[in-house]
Structure formats: structure tokens, C-alpha cells
Amino acid sequence: MRRAFPFLLILLSVLSCREPMSVETYIRSETGPFAFTVDMSDTTAVYDLTFYTRLDGPHRYLESDFETPLTVYWRSPSDSLYEETVYLPLEGEDENFYSRQLKVPYREEVSPREAGVWTLTVTLPSPVPGFRGLGLVTTKRRI
């Protein structure tokens, strides 16, 4: 029994050192830009990307717009630049009179042509009342 205990401790420490399957990053800023590092080095996986944010302020101010455009820039590991515009809906699942929280899928099952660490930069073309920052959840799934 005494010999099994050190082996069990080593086994537990090795198993606990696994890479997390999901990474969340939040950048607190009302205007941006928001720059995220997205590690897509694993070629045996696909990646799901989700934006999240919180809008604060009286509820009546939040009703004026239903979505806001986001300009998204992807910089590849080889320094190529890609740009697109997506729309972030401003209607949240968890809301009350004073705020709402948004969690919106951005891309699912992303399998980049170029493996490595990418940079995702998001800008807001115009201010959004009550906008407090932007977060990105990157979830890795084995294929």
C-alpha cells in the first residue's frame, strides 16, 4: 500500500495538467479596440468562438438599437490579415431593468487553414450606450 501511494500522487498530478478545452478572455473598455489571442495550434480539433458582453443603463436606452456592427480583423500566424463585419444582437437572455448580458455564437467548428496562434481584433464603429467591454470564449472540440 505504501508503494502505491507515491504512484497514485504522480498519476493524479499528470492527469491534472491537461490543457483546458475552453478559454475565456474579457477586455473591459467602452470603445475598444478589443484584441484577443486565439490559439488554434491543434490540427486535430475544431474551435467554437462566442462573444459575450454586458450592457448597463436604464432599460429604455437599450431599446433604441437591436444590433450593432462589429468589425472583426483576423491576423494569421504568417501575418495575413482578414476582415469582416458581423452584427452583435443587443437582446440578451439574462436581463433586468438595469442591464442585460449577451452571449452570442460568432463562429462554430472553425478549422483554420493555418495552424497556430491567431490575433482577433474587434472594433465598434460607433459607441453603444452602456457597453462595458467584450469577451471571447474559445472552445476546442476534438474531431
Side-chain angles (χ1 to χ4, degrees):
M1 180 69 178
R2 289 185 151 196
R3 292 182 193 187
F5 186 70
F7 176 73
L8 183 62
L9 284 178
I10 292 171
L11 180 63
L12 287 175
S13 66
V14 168
L15 292 177
S16 67
C17 294
R18 294 186 342 175
E19 177 184 17
M21 296 304 280
S22 180
V23 175
E24 295 184 24
T25 306
Y26 182 79
I27 300 170
R28 185 171 172 84
S29 172
E30 294 177 15
T31 57
F34 307 93
F36 302 98
T37 300
V38 182
D39 186 355
M40 293 190 285
S41 301
D42 189 349
T43 58
T44 65
V46 293
Y47 301 88
D48 295 336
L49 305 164
T50 302
F51 288 127
Y52 67 95
T53 189
R54 181 181 190 96
L55 298 170
D56 292 332
H59 194 68
R60 65 181 181 274
Y61 295 140
L62 302 177
E63 293 300 325
S64 61
D65 294 320
F66 294 104
E67 62 185 15
T68 188
L70 301 176
T71 304
V72 180
Y73 303 94
W74 282 95
R75 184 166 302 278
S76 72
S78 65
D79 211 32
S80 296
L81 186 63
Y82 305 92
E83 177 184 345
E84 70 177 327
T85 299
V86 296
Y87 292 86
L88 179 70
L90 298 179
E91 297 174 356
E93 298 171 8
D94 183 15
E95 56 184 271
N96 59 41
F97 183 77
Y98 297 104
S99 69
R100 67 178 62 169
Q101 295 180 47
L102 309 173
K103 191 170 186 180
V104 181
Y106 166 54
R107 293 279 177 246
E108 292 180 345
E109 296 186 3
V110 174
S111 179
R113 290 183 181 177
E114 185 178 343
V117 177
W118 290 66
T119 302
L120 174 76
T121 304
V122 180
T123 61
L124 293 169
S126 60
V128 176
F131 196 82
R132 295 293 172 244
L134 187 66
L136 179 71
V137 179
T138 305
T139 304
K140 178 168 64 169
R141 291 188 292 134
R142 299 280 180 209
I143 50 176

